[in-house]
Structure formats: C-alpha cells, structure tokens
Amino acid sequence: MGIVLGIESSCDETAAALVTTDRRIVAQRIASQDESHAPYGGVVPEIAARAHAERLAPMIQAVMDEAGLTLGDLDAIAATAGPGLIGGVMVGLVSAKALAMAGDVPLIAVNHLEGHALSPRLADADLEFPYALLLVSGGHCQILRVEGVGRYRRLATTIDDALGEAFDKTAKILGLGFPGGPAVERLAREGDPRAVPLPRPLVGSGEPHFSFAGLKSAVLRAKESGQHRDADLAASFQQAALDCVLDRLQVALDAMEPVPALVVAGGVAANQAIRGALEQFACERGMRFVAPPMALCTDNAAMIAWAGCERLGQSDPLDIAARPRWPLDPEAEPVRGAGYKA
Ligand code: KG4
Ligand code: ZN
C-alpha cells in the first residue's frame, strides 16, 4: 500500500489531503476563498494566489500531523500543475517541489482535469476503464472517453462558456451572489422549469459540443423583462441547461465506442437535479451511472492525491513548469468558433 500527499491550488480552493492506494482518505483540509472573492462577483487571481500562499503550508502541516506522518513516510507528493490560475498553481507546485526535495520523495505533477476525471475511481473501486465522462466545472465542460490513466479522448467541449460558468452568470443576473451554482439549484426547486421559454443552444447539432452563452443572454433578457419570478427563471435555466447536456451526451455516446459506465465529475456534478437526470439517462441506455460524493465533485486535494496514487511509480523533474493551459487530450481538434479552453 502506498500513501500520497495531494495539493490543490488552481482556483479558489486551497487544499491538502493524504490518500492511500487502497482508497482511504487518511486526512484532508480544504479552505474556500468564497468570502474574499464574493465582492467582485468572481475569482480575482491575485487575491487567490496570496490566499494560497498564506494558507497552504500550515494546511499541509495539519494533515501530516493528523496522520502522524513525516515526509519520509510518503510515497509521492502530487500537486496540481495546471490548468488554472497561474499564480495559485505556482504556489502549490513550488511547495510540492520543495517538500519533494527536502524529503527525497517523488514529485507527481497532476493535471487538475485528470484529478476530476479519475476522482470517481477513488470513491468506487468497481469503476474500471473505459468509461464515458461528463466533466462539468466552472472552467470546463467536456465529454471524454476515459481509456486509462493519461489516456483521454475528448469528444466534446464548449465553444463559449462552461456549464458552471453559466450557473454562476445566471446567479449573478438573479442577484444570488458567488459562487452561484448551489444558489441557483436551491432557488430552482421553488420554480416551474417550463415557465420561461429559453433557448437550447446547439441541441440537434450533429457534433456533441456545448454552448451556453446564448442561454445566459436569454436569461438576462427574461430577467430584464420583469415578467418572471426569479425562481421560475432559475428553474427554467436549469432545465434548459439539462436538456442541452442530455442531448449532447446522446450524440457523444452514439459517436464513441461503447462503454459500460457513464460518469459525471466536476463542481456541477454536485447538482442533484443534474445527477438525477443523468442517472435516469444512463439507466435508459443500459449503462451504469457513477457520480462521486459531493465533496469529491468540487475542487479538493483528495482527487489530486488519488491521481498521484494512480500514477505511483512515475515522477516528474523538479524543474517542471506550471501550465495555465493543459488539455487532457492534446490530439483533440480545436472547435470552430471556440475561444481557447484547456
Ligand atoms: O470543479 P469546481 O469546484 O472548480 C473548477 O475547477 O471550476 O467547479 C466549480 C463550479 C462553479 O461554477 C459552481 O457554480 C459549480 O461548479 N457548482 C454547481 C453546483 N455546485 C457547484 N453548479 C450547479 N449546481 C450546483 N449544486
Ligand atoms: Zn475543478
């Protein structure tokens, strides 16, 4: 059995965790910076980097103390090396390098998206490769065929906003604060999902890509019309987004070599309405549905430590660079009309 220290600092969560190769989360700490960024309505990179720099070292100390371990007990130190906000990524990666050097422990530079992509295997020992993955977070919206560790085939991505971003922007329009996803979900429970007519961008298109910018603009216009209850707007937005997701998934699954399981990961996977609909969708297609527990969906260090467990035996050089952009599938074709997203 091996044990890996994981470090996450790519966005606005500072996190450290110890995870074993037999899927035990031995200790973990996570600090959200929501309050620091809330006045700005989004994550401010400089504030995030400073907060990581202040919090990370004591947090690593705390998980090591809780587990009663010293550096020499670790089999590897895994840190997010991208994609993400470069200042924050550098804080985590440089900390990991220093500890790896001091303890003579292998360093594993983890792609944050790989952390999300493999997180369902931390929670579910029966989930084997290959599987279809819907990866939906604040920065990413992709459908992938996960074929093995480091082997990801991207079938779809977004040509504009990510799904979590669409939730956050809708929350802003409705004055629900930041981060918006959970607030929109809560309000949607009190609304009628058919009350407000909203577009379903790209639904029916033969390629499985996503687009949410037009949906967000339609929510804004509907809000400005003053004709709708906020709860109806939230519910109708969530329903439109969900319809897009299911339609795009259908196209992607039809285009890929069949897989036995549909897996969802990333922050938006914490949404119960979306989880429920995906479960039913998978069931209708005769697929197993796997969603990690909520705490493993949003950014955390256990998933980074687990990616390190999956890669145990490998190591990266101490001069490895942080990568603000780092696609999981470097061979994926750029999508026409898309701004560049990792
Ligand atoms: O994976 P994550 O923590 O960070 C990124 O790597 O982006 O995802 C954060 C995103 C945010 O956009 C947040 O609004 C969204 O996930 N999110 C949700 C829910 N919980 C978090 N979106 C919809 N419903 C939720 N319950
Ligand atoms: Zn993430």
Side-chain angles (χ1 to χ4, degrees), residues 35 37 54 62 77 87 91-92 115 125 155 157 191 204 216 240 255 261 285-286:
E35 279 167 26
H37 301 290
E54 283 166 18
I77 298 173
V91 170
L155 284 101
T157 187
K216 171 212 63 191
R285 286 188 72 107

Side-chain angles (χ1 to χ4, degrees), residues 180-192:
V184 171
E185 181 183 10
R186 265 194 307 278
L187 187 58
R189 281 192 212 120
E190 292 152 33
D192 175 359

Side-chain angles (χ1 to χ4, degrees), residues 8 10-13 30 83-84 112-113 116 135-140 162-169 171 177-186 189 237-238 265-274 294 296-300 303:
E8 163 59 34
S10 66
C11 191
D12 60 343
E13 255 91 33
I30 182 157
H112 176 84
L113 299 174
H116 281 301
L135 176 49
V136 275
S137 69
H140 302 277
L163 183 52
E165 201 176 347
F167 268 91
D168 293 335
K169 287 179 175 171
F178 174 86
V184 171
E185 181 183 10
R186 265 194 307 278
R189 281 192 212 120
F237 159 78
Q238 187 169 273
V268 186
N271 183 296
Q272 292 295 336
I274 292 179
M294 310 275 264
L296 275 183
C297 288
T298 46
D299 286 348
N300 65 87
M303 72 180 189

